[in-house]
Amino acid sequence: MGAGPIGIRTPLALLFLSLGIVAAVWWWLATPVALTRAPIDDAAKLECVSYAPFRGDQTPHDPTLIVSPEQIAEDLGELAKVSKCIRTYSIDNGLDKVPELASRVGLKVLLGVWIGRDRAKNALLINTAVSLVKDHPGVVAAIIVGSEVLLRGDMTVGDLRDTIRSVKPRVDIPVTYADVWEFWLRYREVGEDVDFVTAHFLPYWEDIPPRAEDAAAHVDDIRKQVVAAFPGKEILIGETGWPSFGRMRDGALASRVNQARFISQILERARQDNFRVNFFEAYDEPWKRRWEGTVGGYWGLFDGAERKLKYPAGVAISNYPFWKLQMGGGLFLCICIFALAWFMPKHRPSPPPLVSWVAVAMSATVSGILLGVSADKMFHESYGLGGWLVQGFLLAAAVTAPLLSTYALMSGRALPSFLEVLGPSKGLTPFFMANMLGIALIVTTLIAAQTALSLIFDARWRDFPFAALTMAVVPFWTLAFLNGSKSGERPLSEAVFAGLFAMAAVYVVFSEGFENWQAMWTSAMYLLLGSALWRARTAVVAEKMSTDSG
């Protein structure tokens, strides 16, 4: 009699509660943001935008690559709809065709010359740039001799100034140099050699990055410092922008909404204070992800694959434009977890207690919410075959973990140890579902260890796997603490991983800062997984091995 409500009413109530929470959270996540000014508007074109033509596997590091004029012309045709001007960085890889192609669609060009340590190549590129200016009068609005040369340490200040001065008498258009604002303030003498100052302001990459909501005001405050440092010189914001995907840095969150918000706010300040802005950048560049991680490939105003505007005028801006599909997948997974808990054959002598159903509801709710987030992160964060394999295995473990853990929880089985799955044949668990659960646990542990070590030793470019990791860890943790063995023996491998995760959690929190909720969340999952592994027991296996050896 007492088990009746637990068997019928309570699971149904928990199911509807879980479904309601999943739907409510996704409705909240997908809420569009209204901005004071549309980030991109055909009726009010951008002053200028940085352009590089590389698509897919194309990269400027390939000296044999020549991007076709047709490909460049296609891009410039789209950019002419939203911008008056484009900024280039080089005239290699087919970019020497840009002035001619830009003239056909009415775009001005800030022509960049990529100079560096090789003086002979510098001279060759400068000669080509000078020829382009003479061949296309009225199209090239200015020459930018070098970009962040001082930041990279490729030239001394004296050599850079000599190079700039050598160009000026050869052209009848303004000549400038581009670098981050800190280096302009450090080497103010360069200002004597340029017609206007081209300063880069990328608040996301600063040592202490501001939140996206405060980034535009932060940029404007620094711009005014640069204006004061160079009286009588125009200060062009040569680069500014915000990434639409990637890891957090302190409180700076890369997201679609934050990118659109930053663009909108900078445009409004430029309108009010009458200064020019060149946005970084026109198109997402996938090749940068190899060197800068996920965030490096998502600075574009246009999508890098489909070459479509991310924020068309009049369209609501949301971090999850496909949220209905993502929510639907989460609701389906939530129902599957409850259905497995209810309809699977019960092998335990008594009905599952209320706490087991609460654990099922917890796993189902977490998985229902985070499935769409995990899939979105896999799509945007996977790079190269290795990246897709790691992300794919983690997502597979994240989807199967709540299902397999539910099966074990309702059957009264414990979370298997590594030894039960990978140990000597006589000690292996005979149950297929238990083996699958153990494999999911091992996959999750190995990938979590790999990400933890990356965040310790190479953190700058690394993403935080908080979503998929949570989907897997929560059901493992509830199973470990509800159906744990009575034995006090801890397997060595589990103990080692538990120690690693505890150390990583502490390090990541203090390294990334308490404003970084992605880091805090990921660290919490490391601790949760470590505690689940610490609680793992091998009493049954140890007993069997002892009996066999005797």
Side-chain angles (χ1 to χ4, degrees):
M1 296 291 291
I6 298 297
I8 300 175
R9 298 190 187 94
T10 301
L12 282 177
L14 290 172
L15 170 62
F16 288 121
L17 178 62
S18 294
L19 294 176
I21 293 174
V22 171
V25 170
W26 269 107
W27 178 83
W28 172 71
L29 287 174
T31 302
V33 173
L35 300 174
T36 304
R37 173 182 175 137
I40 309 294
D41 189 347
D42 295 354
K45 290 186 177 182
L46 301 175
E47 190 67 33
C48 204
V49 62
S50 293
Y51 171 67
F54 309 107
R55 303 183 186 183
D57 295 330
Q58 294 176 342
T59 167
H61 295 293
D62 178 4
T64 65
L65 172 68
I66 301 297
V67 179
S68 71
E70 293 77 16
Q71 179 175 315
I72 296 174
E74 181 183 352
D75 288 343
L76 298 188
E78 292 299 314
L79 292 178
K81 299 175 183 178
V82 299
S83 182
K84 305 173 187 176
C85 155
I86 58 170
R87 173 189 171 182
T88 62
Y89 292 79
S90 172
I91 48 181
D92 289 332
N93 305 113
L95 282 162
D96 57 315
K97 301 296 183 184
V98 166
E100 176 187 351
L101 298 172
S103 66
R104 298 178 185 176
V105 292
L107 282 168
K108 299 292 186 180
V109 178
L110 299 180
L111 187 66
V113 184
W114 191 267
I115 60 175
R117 299 174 185 269
D118 188 336
R119 295 195 177 194
K121 185 175 182 180
N122 292 345
L124 180 63
L125 294 174
I126 288 171
N127 289 337
T128 303
V130 170
S131 297
L132 289 172
V133 172
K134 294 179 178 179
D135 292 342
H136 303 283
V139 177
V140 181
I143 287 185
I144 303 176
V145 182
S147 179
E148 300 184 353
V149 174
L150 298 178
L151 173 65
R152 296 193 306 274
D154 286 349
M155 298 179 75
T156 65
V157 176
D159 286 343
L160 174 63
R161 295 185 67 186
D162 289 342
T163 303
I164 296 171
R165 287 196 291 259
S166 72
V167 175
K168 292 189 69 175
R170 302 177 62 185
V171 296
D172 57 359
I173 59 173
V175 176
T176 184
Y177 164 70
D179 214 322
V180 295
W181 63 269
E182 294 98 331
F183 277 73
W184 275 109
L185 295 181
R186 187 179 304 178
Y187 301 107
R188 302 187 185 194
E189 60 269 32
V190 179
E192 300 173 8
D193 305 306
V194 298
D195 294 302
F196 61 90
V197 172
T198 302
H200 296 172
F201 301 84
L202 297 172
Y204 174 88
W205 282 127
E206 292 191 9
D207 292 337
I208 304 177
R211 291 166 55 88
E213 295 84 348
D214 306 320
H218 174 78
V219 168
D220 199 23
D221 288 342
I222 300 175
R223 181 191 66 84
K224 292 173 181 176
Q225 295 179 33
V226 179
V227 168
F230 296 94
K233 295 279 187 181
E234 180 197 1
I235 308 301
L236 167 68
I237 295 185
E239 282 186 2
T240 195
W242 197 268
S244 57
F245 293 101
R247 76 186 318 271
M248 284 189 75
R249 298 189 69 243
D250 289 352
L253 174 65
S255 74
R256 288 170 50 85
V257 166
N258 282 344
Q259 184 183 53
R261 175 186 288 117
F262 176 79
I263 294 170
S264 173
Q265 292 177 350
I266 280 290
L267 286 174
E268 184 61 23
R269 287 178 177 269
R271 184 189 66 79
Q272 292 175 358
D273 295 344
N274 194 30
F275 59 85
R276 291 194 297 157
V277 178
N278 173 75
F279 280 103
F280 181 82
E281 58 187 328
Y283 292 93
D284 289 340
E285 296 191 75
W287 68 271
K288 288 186 176 179
R289 295 175 59 189
R290 180 177 179 183
W291 311 101
E292 300 179 10
T294 296
V295 71
Y298 292 103
W299 287 77
L301 308 181
F302 287 74
D303 175 80
E306 298 183 358
R307 319 302 277 183
K308 292 182 179 179
L309 195 62
K310 291 181 182 177
Y311 315 107
V315 177
I317 300 170
S318 168
N319 284 331
Y320 298 98
F322 305 105
W323 70 276
K324 293 181 180 178
L325 178 62
Q326 292 167 298
M327 181 184 70
L331 292 173
F332 179 74
L333 179 59
C334 184
I335 292 171
C336 288
I337 294 170
F338 270 94
L340 180 63
W342 177 250
F343 292 109
M344 60 161 281
K346 305 298 191 299
H347 300 291
R348 58 196 303 163
S350 60
L354 176 60
V355 67
S356 294
W357 280 108
V358 172
V360 169
M362 184 185 303
S363 297
T365 305
V366 168
S367 299
I369 293 171
L370 294 178
L371 176 62
V373 178
S374 300
D376 187 70
K377 285 174 67 63
M378 182 183 75
F379 178 79
H380 289 102
E381 294 176 3
S382 299
Y383 182 74
L385 178 60
W388 279 102
L389 286 175
V390 170
Q391 292 279 359
F393 277 123
L394 180 58
L395 183 59
V399 172
T400 57
L403 296 167
L404 295 169
S405 295
T406 294
Y407 182 94
L409 184 67
M410 306 309 276
S411 301
R413 301 189 185 280
L415 184 69
S417 69
F418 297 165
L419 188 60
E420 289 179 272
V421 179
L422 303 176
S425 58
K426 292 184 179 179
L428 299 181
T429 173
F431 302 106
F432 174 78
M433 295 294 283
N435 278 322
M436 293 298 99
L437 177 61
I439 291 172
L441 175 62
I442 292 170
V443 168
T444 302
T445 301
L446 291 176
I447 294 178
Q450 181 259 329
T451 61
L453 291 172
S454 297
L455 289 171
I456 292 174
F457 295 106
D458 187 27
R460 183 174 175 85
W461 318 118
R462 302 295 179 172
D463 300 306
F464 298 100
F466 60 91
L469 197 59
T470 302
M471 288 179 64
V473 168
V474 168
F476 289 151
W477 184 83
T478 57
L479 179 60
F481 279 82
L482 292 180
N483 286 10
S485 169
K486 300 297 183 182
S487 168
E489 182 177 347
R490 294 185 181 87
L492 178 60
S493 55
E494 275 89 337
V496 170
F497 279 112
L500 168 64
F501 292 138
M503 176 185 67
V506 174
Y507 179 87
V508 169
V509 167
F510 284 97
S511 173
E512 298 289 341
F514 291 95
E515 283 191 274
N516 188 332
W517 62 258
Q518 290 185 352
M520 297 282 286
W521 186 339
T522 303
S523 295
M525 289 305 104
Y526 287 151
L527 290 175
L528 215 60
L529 179 57
S531 65
L533 294 174
W534 185 256
R535 190 168 173 81
R537 302 292 185 262
T538 56
V540 176
V541 177
E543 182 179 349
K544 287 183 178 180
M545 294 178 65
S546 177
T547 302
D548 293 338
S549 62

